[in-house]
């Protein structure tokens, strides 16, 4: 982990247990095992697109903990893990299901008491955040526990002091996470529940250059109404952000950066599994930026990465740069 | 089974063997095993929605017979089973397939000689039908065998004398059963084939308060033409029924009750597997009525229960009341 | 089917539905589908060892009926099938399970009313039995129904008049079939049950040159006690047979032929699934005889074919001549 | 749950997630889902052997909680469940693995914070324990949490006052549970860890008539050395018990009852999966006693039930009375 | 193979390894095994529709080689195989994947060095091509290797001299094969790559009566622009063909035969898996022609066969004549 | 790859496709996909036991090539891969089967023309071999192709000059590889076949400190007879080796090092799958030596690592140091 990287992410990664398509959690004889987290999904997607990406977190040294690391390393992500011992030795677990709607939803959120909730900055490998180009985390991390939140803020501050560009995805029950209202409430519970959800995130905005937010989140969490362009303008002003990227389900993303508004293409993903598509969008966006692309190219690459990911079961962006390029080329050809 | 129940159903439940999605009966290396029957599907759906539901039938005391009972009990249905011994020791079996159309169809109906075809009223636990609020059976039961038919008529008469409300689903090759013409013919064969299909059912109508029928069945089996409202009026008059509920594929159900016509919403189920959706409709309808809801609410709850069930492989309504409520709320929100 | 063949077999082939290893019929979410029959198993094993083998039977023209034919043709067996229409359109079905002992046992025998039970000689392609070198059938065929029995006797007689060598496997609940007592009783029931089991088979012995029988069957069905050599002598004398082959579980087979006794090697199969091993023995034995080998070589090849088959799930001898040769070579090397 | 039952059990039932045979928890793409608990396993086994058995516990009202209940009801067990809401809404989870030895071991014990750990006597349906013939619980329940322990002691006391016979299985890392040292330590942690393991159980012994204990537990937990007969004598005296049943891996169980020593047969189970075999033993033993059998017959039936269960994956005794009888008959035949 | 057949096909058949739906080649724990080839797919489809069809090819005598033959024989195709020994003992392999688009694409074409690439006319059974009614091969065979190409041309010439009707499917990266540009390039490589793709096929056109070509192939390979009718006219003239059949994705096929243009219906297949649908079209077309149908009927039957095949995973047309008839009847009913 | 490592390995890693247990390659509907190679297996096992291990090889940049790298990285192995482009873009493939014996055997060796066979030293990352403590390769690498052989010899020479300790496993059809005679012959073919098998390896012995060889290989490949001690003495003298380790199936390994003979324990693995156990032995041996253990400890750790690996399907040593320690402790406890 000592090497200089392009992108460092920080957050909890869970084991997700999912019934096979067509079956339900209550009756499925077996559950598919996958590894997913808002920040590690970004790291995997970016690494697969050529970025030298790393992920920082805390896990128990168990078969499930090792499984999380193996999955990420297999996709080329460097891992900087604080291995828990003693009390906090759970891996956070999420059970998927399909119920009142056709989408996969996180039916049971069983992350309480996970090793990650006990994380402190001192447990993580030193010097990693300072020596990267970009740092990324999400609202799910802030909501995980008080310790997770203060560690995230600490890392954001450290990165900022080192001149590292910092991005943040709100990830507060977005379309991609499939987290329903019940889980969002629980997210608040994990944080104590005293302060409104938005307040948890506002502290982070002080340390952030780029914010990724869905239109639904902008409205329900940040109480920001209007059309897409109005929202990005308003959020940029309110939180003094350099870049705001607003994703819209079924429509292209809109970004404001350096005062200019950019609109990305709406690439039809015919989504098979929406879990992870927002993370894939972030991965594609950051990969393009790291490769030197401009914001418009980044929007396009983000949408294309999300489109490919939406065709795969599970939240991991098992994509290649060639495939993403092909989606972009196809889309361009069709539009003309 | 001695306890007073909300709903008692009576009919044959079969083992259904289905190739995995994308494969065919002729080549699939393994077949999924499920348990399904027009009346037990109703009992399961109703029980899951909070109804104290029971199911009466006859089965052999074999691994497959016990499997049928275990599946129903697991969903909370009380079972009153006449355990067959001696000659008639088959469980009726149905093999599913996907062939000339994309739907699951009952490719092979292997129910002849099943234990259920030998059932007589005296074999069933006594006093059950008299001490329930509602009794439900279907045309598939009447067509199973002469014994099954006379047992069903006997139970309907007994229930009627005890003042129990009686409902009947025609289930003669409806959209939900996926039974094709060949199987319908065979259904007639099982009954002897001498009298026209409709005549089998007419005797039952004398004992029935509520009839569930699909538009297709109304036309092809009961020779009743016209639009939905005309059909329910006409059937109500012809058979002197209190309530007639007409389901329409891709459109909402229409009911006539106490002289008033009610139209239910068309809730898009994006059906993954149509098997069992009509039974789920009946379950939702009856559950709402038992809970004190009016006919309009019952139509809505029926459609919503069918919509959730259509997303699940197999005919069982593995739903919760919360999920059905969410579908209704979603639909209401969208319509407004 | 017009071509001259080395071996023609006649009998019922069923669809066998088996829970995956470690699970039970009452709870397995899916069942493996295989095709098995005492005579078609012999035809498959022989065909895979280079014999030009055929199988005669009756099946419904359904997905399951076609599946039976496809499985046998895939292994190189020619099929002469009377396709049933009308009433008798079931494929016989057998459900496997593992219960009171570790072996696979036929938990549910659901063959009543199968198309095969309605077979008559006139439905089969003509001239086939007369133009082969060897004809083979089994006691399971005689016990299937009166029609099956008289068809088998008719074919045996026809073959005998044409100078065809005829073999017969008792297959009355042998170790390999895994059929338990309950199923044996049922076998009798299918035949009417009036006459003792042995009498069903004695008629056939008049038409048979070679009898395959297990030690267990010799004792329980044919009431023949003594050691292996005494049994083969006694059976040969009692039924005036040219050759008697006695298989012994865990020990080599013993044969009497042309007055000489031959003892086969005991080849350890470390049996994973005993279903079909006796059929594989017969296949290996007949293949060697057809290839011109003597009785001792045939015993060895039979045991080796059974040993390979015992390592495979299901009753089909998915073997190659090379593999069987290798088993024989290994055994010879070890013995020396 | 109001009806009078033969047997009431009380304890935690977990979801067990197991890699398919031959794979490991760290790499298996899917995990088999089963439901298991020391007391519910006893209830299932007894119910399948004809006992009217019930199980008391606490679960969250989630898909996994409902799954636990459905599994038990499917086997005929009556369930009296306190449905948790609010904070304690986890189902206890155990991950299986095969590692340093060939047996399934509970690799990850993820039961902390389960709904069951918050149970209090007042949450359970009233009058159940008083109106049964026998009550059964285990040491695993005492070790689950302080609340679970005091609830268990409360139920034992209530049962005792009502004259109900009470049995107790130590289940402290027995051969059947496959729980290794690490999990045993954790069991202590859940209880606070202050007092030695044995002391947790001694309080319960005051309320118990029959103790089931393995030889290994007798030595390591109760510090009781000697041969089997010495151990049962010594435990009976030390804890003033009416009956002590000592199970021995690979050898028959030994019991002392009313001053007489009985030795059960050693029935070879060729165990495929040892999980649940000790619970199956208890189920068989109690079923025989409830049916009026004496202690010797109960030992035999216990061993036979364990032998059948050992051949099935998972801890559930998916057996029938006929199969257990057949195992006993086979064993008797062999022994003679 | 000596018997007179309706249709003889010649070409390479590969083992196709496919990740389960929703998974990717890079991560799937297991791969489904299927057998597919442009010519054997035609033979299977035709055989299932009642045609006496044969397939000529070369394979190694290995488990995979035997598997190919077993699959085809199981569907009723006669096989005339040159069994390779010595050096060229590979079965050509193709790995499927879903990537930049939702369709199955041949991600890895691993056919180089297969036994088929070494084929010579003398290795095939003699007299087969001369004694059939129709002979069919494809451009994929011409592109496989120089030897495959010259063998195909030799067989076409022999068939022509014997008055056999000869058809040819271009199959150069059609919609049905899902072969992308990379594989098409490789197809050229296998041929040496010196001459343009079209030139490989032109030699064959001299020996062909009927050409099947997709609109995409007509444009990109044969440089033929215009609307469908213009294309079939132009190709017929340029290559002096009797019949040209142009398939159009999402639209009906268009044929010119004996100077008349015929337009087939567009039957919506709601394609689950496009692999093999073009082959199924050819099978249906030829089966209808062999049965005496005219070109319009053949177009309809081709489209219907493709529609059923598109609902099944894999390229094999596991259809029955009844199912295809039902699709045609349904389509006719809807159109009216 | 620039960092200093404990162990660098070099060799070909293949995709292994295996039928599920109980099925055969000719009939299995799906094949399990695993990644295995004699040297990468050693690297994985060592990495899992705490060694900083790397693996050098050549692969195509395809889904299968990336899969190989992902699998190894997931287990913590650093990978230094020359990514092939252009012609040689196959991943070597091996198909497993169970045939004439119960063991998994490499039924089809489809490695010809793999990217690895075209490897040259210049394609590999520079400086890796010089900066490690130990270098390991095997005879399978020498036999892969002339280029592979000369690259291996080049790396051995470079390592030797840098003072790196070099080990070599003969791996010429050992018990663990399951490679049968046919594949060994093919191994020779790949090398040209001109010189005897042993001569291929002798060149390497000049550059090697430690040789791992099985007793079977010692006899059949190196023509070295006698008991184990005689063999290690004789090989050490003949090839002037520092250490010779001889593995014996079913018995402990024997080593000669610095003139002293050491005998390892025979740890019963009750092998489920022998593939990879010899590689696991080497991994355990080298891990212990790297950790500073003496030769006796290394033999013990090697045997224990092999024992755990033998219980897992596939050749990968999915073990932990704790598990291996537990096996050693168990074995020590039993022996005393």
């Amino acid at each position: 982990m000592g090497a200089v990287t392009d992108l460092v992410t920080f957050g909890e990664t869970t084991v997700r247990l999912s019934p096979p398509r067509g079956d339900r959690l209550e009756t499925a004889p077996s559950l598919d095992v996958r590894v997913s987290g808002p920040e590690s999904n970004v790291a995997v997607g970016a690494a697969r697109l050529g970025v030298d990406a790393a992920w920082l977190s805390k896990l128990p040294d168990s078969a499930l903990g090792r499984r999380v690391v193996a999955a990420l390393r297999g996709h080329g992500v460097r891992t900087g893990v604080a291995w828990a011992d003693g009390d906090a030795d759970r891996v956070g677990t999420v059970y998927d299901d399909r119920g009142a709607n056709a989408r996969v939803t996180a039916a049971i959120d069983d992350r309480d008491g996970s090793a990650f909730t006990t994380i402190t900055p001192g447990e993580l490998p030193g010097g990693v955040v300072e020596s990267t180009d970009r740092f990324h985390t999400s609202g799910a991390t802030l909501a995980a526990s008080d310790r997770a939140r203060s560690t995230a803020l600490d890392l954001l501050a450290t990165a900022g002091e080192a001149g590292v560009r910092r991005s943040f995805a709100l990830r507060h029950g977005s379309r991609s996470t499939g987290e329903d209202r019940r889980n969002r409430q629980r997210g608040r519970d994990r944080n104590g529940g005293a302060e409104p959800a938005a307040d948890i995130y506002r502290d982070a905005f002080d340390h952030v250059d780029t914010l990724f937010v869905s239109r639904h989140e902008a409205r329900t969490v940040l109480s920001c109404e209007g059309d897409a362009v109005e929202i990005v303008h308003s959020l940029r002003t309110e939180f003094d952000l350099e870049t705001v990227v607003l994703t819209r389900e079924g429509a292209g993303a809109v970004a404001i950066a350096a005062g200019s508004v950019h609109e990305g293409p709406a690439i039809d993903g015919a989504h098979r599994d929406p879990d992870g598509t927002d993370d894939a969008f972030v991965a594609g966006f950051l990969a393009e930026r790291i490769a030197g692309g401009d914001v418009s190219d980044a929007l396009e690459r983000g949408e294309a990465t999300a489109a490919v990911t939406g065709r795969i079961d599970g939240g991991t962006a098992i994509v290649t740069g060639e495939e993403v390029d092909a989606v972009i080329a196809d889309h361009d050809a069709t539009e003309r």
Side-chain angles (χ1 to χ4, degrees), chain A:
Chain A
M1 281 299 300
V4 172
T5 54
D6 298 326
L7 172 67
V8 170
T9 66
F10 169 68
E12 179 169 20
T13 296
T14 60
V15 167
R16 283 186 90 106
L17 296 161
S18 314
R21 195 157 284 263
D23 209 340
R24 298 217 59 180
L25 182 53
E26 192 173 328
T27 50
S30 67
L31 299 175
D32 295 331
V33 188
R34 295 196 187 86
V35 155
S36 186
E39 295 88 0
S40 61
N41 287 350
V42 169
V44 164
R48 295 190 60 101
L49 295 174
V51 172
D52 190 348
W55 169 77
L56 302 178
S57 196
K58 186 172 182 180
L59 286 169
D61 185 12
S62 67
L64 292 181
R66 290 190 297 272
R67 180 171 191 136
V68 170
V69 168
L72 302 184
R73 280 189 189 159
H75 293 296
V77 174
R78 296 171 190 254
T79 56
V81 172
W83 292 105
D85 50 5
D87 296 349
D89 56 0
R90 294 193 65 226
V91 174
T93 314
V94 175
Y95 294 85
D96 288 328
D97 206 358
R98 275 181 182 77
N101 63 63
R103 290 219 172 120
V104 173
T105 55
I108 297 182
D109 181 332
D110 191 9
R111 290 183 291 184
D112 281 347
S114 72
F116 183 77
T117 61
T118 69
I119 198 164
T120 56
E123 293 173 316
L124 291 170
V128 174
V129 167
E130 297 90 326
S131 57
T132 185
D133 281 346
R134 287 176 178 260
F135 177 81
H136 179 78
T137 189
S138 85
T141 297
L142 297 193
S145 72
D146 286 342
R147 284 201 184 178
R149 184 187 182 182
S150 76
T151 302
L153 294 175
D154 188 279
L155 292 173
L156 280 168
T158 304
E161 285 160 22
V164 173
R165 297 187 61 80
R166 296 152 300 172
S167 57
F168 184 86
L170 196 58
R171 294 280 298 158
H172 184 84
S174 72
R175 61 167 168 133
S176 299
T177 66
E179 300 196 351
D180 59 14
R181 193 172 30 194
R182 173 160 166 266
N183 294 307
R184 284 203 296 277
Q185 287 171 341
R186 193 188 293 227
R188 281 200 290 276
D189 288 346
R190 294 178 89 187
N191 191 48
E195 48 189 332
D199 293 353
I200 302 177
Y201 308 127
R202 280 167 202 268
D203 290 353
F205 294 165
D206 292 345
H207 302 285
V208 160
D209 305 300
T210 303
L211 171 67
F212 297 95
V213 63
S214 74
R215 185 159 52 176
H216 180 76
E217 291 169 335
R219 288 178 181 155
T220 57
V221 182
L222 304 179
S223 310
C224 192
E225 296 289 339
D227 68 17
V229 174
E230 288 166 349
I231 290 174
V232 295
H233 267 292
S234 150
L235 290 176
R236 184 193 168 224
T237 307
E238 181 177 0
F239 300 114
D240 192 22
L241 296 159
E242 189 190 287
T243 305
V244 175
V245 185
L246 185 83
T247 53
R248 300 182 295 176
E249 193 167 3
V254 172
I256 188 164
S260 307
V261 170
H262 306 259
E263 218 163 316
I267 298 179
D268 178 26
H271 283 184
R272 175 175 173 88
D273 186 345
D275 177 41
T277 51
D278 267 0
D279 303 328
F281 174 87
V282 174
F285 185 96
L286 293 180
E288 183 66 27
R289 292 294 278 161
I290 287 166
D294 63 21
V295 170
S296 287
D297 288 345
L299 289 174
E300 187 175 50
R301 202 160 181 80
E303 291 285 354
T305 308
V308 178
T309 303
R311 291 190 197 106
I312 309 165
D313 284 342
T316 309
I318 313 175
V319 303
T320 63
E322 286 179 20
E323 287 166 357
V324 172
D325 290 345
V327 166
I328 292 172
D330 262 19
H331 184 262
D332 289 354
T334 311
E335 294 299 286
R336 259 173 239 135

